[in-house]
Amino acid sequence: MDSLLKHMVDMTGHRDHTMLDISVISAVQELARASQTRVLTIMHVRGEQYVRVRASICAGGVARMEEPVDVNALGEPISSFPALAACIANNETSAESITAGGKRTLWLPIWIGEKVDTCLEILHPTPYTSDTIHVIGGIVSVYRNFQNLLDYSERDSLTGLLNRKTFDDQLAKMLHVTAEQESLEPGQEERRQHSEAEKQWLAVVDVDHFKLVNDKFGHLYGDEVLILIANLLQSSFRSQDRVFRFGGEEFVVLLRSTTLDNAQKIIDRFRTNVESHDFPQVGQVTVSVGFVSISPFESPVIILGHADQALYYAKSHGRNQACHYDQLVSGGLLQAVASNDTAEFF
């Protein structure tokens, strides 16, 4: 009982999804005496579902977050886990499979309303008692409730996208991780070449002439435009990218580990998806985008300022286009402005 209470106190003390994941699998691993416990992400991409490992712990080990080797990979199709696939399709709360060798796997989807994007997977050698299942069920309930609370605090109420505060936190984390990756020790030349080829990117998106939409059609249609833009952002960018509503008609995207050419193609795919979309009553809507590579040696306010400069250029030179800050500067189309990197706006 003391151990259970300790884990519950630990879980309820976090205000971060990553630490919450670590806490829940540590608790389940110890209390269920499992051989392995994992947090799985259930991704929904173009009508298909994929499974990717998010965090894991093995017996006698330490819980850790799992980073995919290939960030562009969606994970394994859910068809590779037939018992789990059937469980989710039937809106069930658990599923178990037993191999011919007696290996047992228990899946516990975390339902938030009618949606599931997280699942606990527990590997155990013997059947669980009703008491153990009861304890695990209690932990899962607490985990689900805190997932829900974190989602509520991290998301914009209109569009469902991540909010400004979450952007501040995730950009800071991205800068920290990028700085660690670029802090090389002797003999790591291959890693340097890879980091030069692939970078992290920040894109600022602004809806063109949005004030005219509100003035002509009213704020209800304006809100609908923002919701549809948010849907197009989620469907156009990759599963590992992060999309935020920054405020008003402005959105921000953090693109992870890709080249300049790919970043341009991904952003332009979104821009053309918006241009070709038929917005009810309003008709055609377009967006302008400014984007920049993320350097761990620059402050967040400078990075965001550079993207904003590129966005302003796009909006003042025809709109409905995506402009890269460094290309504008190197082409003499935009003058680099020295910024006060001690300023803190978030």
Side-chain angles (χ1 to χ4, degrees):
M1 182 61 72
D2 288 344
S3 180
L4 175 60
L5 289 174
K6 176 181 176 297
H7 283 296
M8 288 299 184
V9 169
D10 187 41
M11 287 176 59
T12 56
H14 294 304
R15 296 296 181 268
D16 175 85
H17 277 294
T18 297
M19 295 309 300
L20 184 59
D21 285 347
I22 293 294
S23 290
V24 71
I25 59 175
S26 298
V28 169
Q29 182 72 21
E30 178 183 340
L31 298 171
R33 296 182 176 86
S35 55
Q36 178 180 271
T37 305
R38 304 195 298 182
V39 178
L40 308 178
T41 296
I42 311 296
M43 293 186 293
H44 307 260
V45 181
R46 294 182 289 276
E48 301 293 331
Q49 290 180 312
Y50 297 86
V51 178
R52 176 186 282 181
V53 180
R54 195 162 79 215
S56 67
I57 183 173
C58 293
V62 177
R64 70 175 189 272
M65 300 305 293
E66 299 283 355
E67 292 293 337
V69 176
D70 180 4
V71 294
N72 294 306
L74 295 172
E76 294 186 65
I78 201 167
S79 57
S80 301
F81 308 84
L84 174 59
C87 172
I88 292 175
N90 296 324
N91 285 7
E92 295 172 346
T93 57
S94 67
E96 188 174 27
S97 71
I98 306 173
T99 66
K103 179 181 176 182
R104 296 170 178 269
T105 303
L106 176 65
W107 288 286
L108 300 167
I110 309 300
W111 291 97
I112 306 294
E114 297 296 316
K115 182 181 177 183
V116 59
D117 57 20
T118 298
C119 178
L120 291 184
E121 179 193 76
I122 307 169
L123 276 62
H124 53 105
T126 57
Y128 281 137
T129 65
S130 58
D131 287 343
T132 301
I133 292 176
H134 181 70
V135 170
I136 294 174
I139 293 172
V140 169
S141 295
V142 173
Y143 178 62
R144 180 181 61 247
N145 290 342
F146 267 77
Q147 284 272 20
N148 203 11
L149 285 172
L150 286 176
D151 280 346
Y152 181 79
S153 67
E154 291 179 352
R155 294 190 180 274
D156 171 61
S157 59
L158 176 66
T159 63
L161 296 179
L162 297 169
N163 59 25
R164 171 68 185 265
K165 176 184 179 300
T166 312
F167 164 78
D168 297 343
D169 295 339
Q170 294 205 9
L171 178 58
K173 288 181 182 178
M174 182 179 281
L175 288 170
H176 177 71
V177 170
T178 305
E180 285 187 340
Q181 291 174 344
E182 296 192 12
S183 298
L184 302 176
E185 297 176 0
Q188 289 183 297
E189 290 82 4
E190 182 179 344
R191 192 172 171 186
R192 175 182 283 120
Q193 291 171 1
H194 177 76
S195 67
E196 288 173 355
E198 293 189 348
K199 298 179 180 179
Q200 321 285 7
W201 305 83
L202 184 149
V204 179
V205 177
D206 191 87
V207 182
D208 295 328
H209 301 299
F210 185 69
K211 185 178 184 300
L212 293 179
V213 172
N214 277 333
D215 291 344
K216 183 175 181 180
F217 300 100
H219 287 278
L220 285 179
Y221 280 103
D223 285 350
E224 184 175 8
V225 166
L226 295 177
I227 292 170
L228 292 172
I229 292 285
N231 293 341
L232 290 168
L233 278 162
Q234 291 178 305
S235 62
S236 300
F237 286 92
R238 305 167 303 168
S239 59
Q240 70 267 24
D241 299 325
R242 294 292 177 266
V243 184
F244 309 82
R245 185 185 179 196
F246 214 55
E249 68 272 25
E250 193 169 69
F251 303 85
V252 174
V253 183
L254 293 179
L255 291 88
R256 304 187 181 218
S257 298
T258 193
T259 62
L260 171 59
D261 286 343
N262 280 338
Q264 185 80 58
K265 288 176 183 176
I266 294 166
I267 292 169
D268 273 329
R269 178 178 63 196
F270 159 68
R271 184 186 57 78
T272 55
N273 285 346
V274 173
E275 182 182 15
S276 61
H277 189 81
D278 183 24
F279 290 81
Q281 186 71 23
V282 176
Q284 187 187 52
V285 173
T286 63
V287 295
S288 298
V289 186
F291 70 104
V292 66
S293 61
I294 293 176
S295 168
F297 309 110
E298 292 178 328
S299 69
V301 70
I302 290 179
I303 295 168
L304 192 59
H306 288 169
D308 270 333
Q309 285 179 262
L311 171 66
Y312 181 79
Y313 183 92
K315 293 187 77 69
S316 60
H317 288 78
R319 294 183 171 83
N320 190 23
Q321 57 183 308
C323 294
H324 177 217
Y325 172 81
D326 291 323
Q327 285 184 337
L328 293 175
V329 172
S330 62
L333 300 174
L334 191 67
Q335 183 177 0
V337 178
S339 301
N340 175 15
D341 62 4
T342 62
E344 290 292 344
F345 298 131
F346 52 84

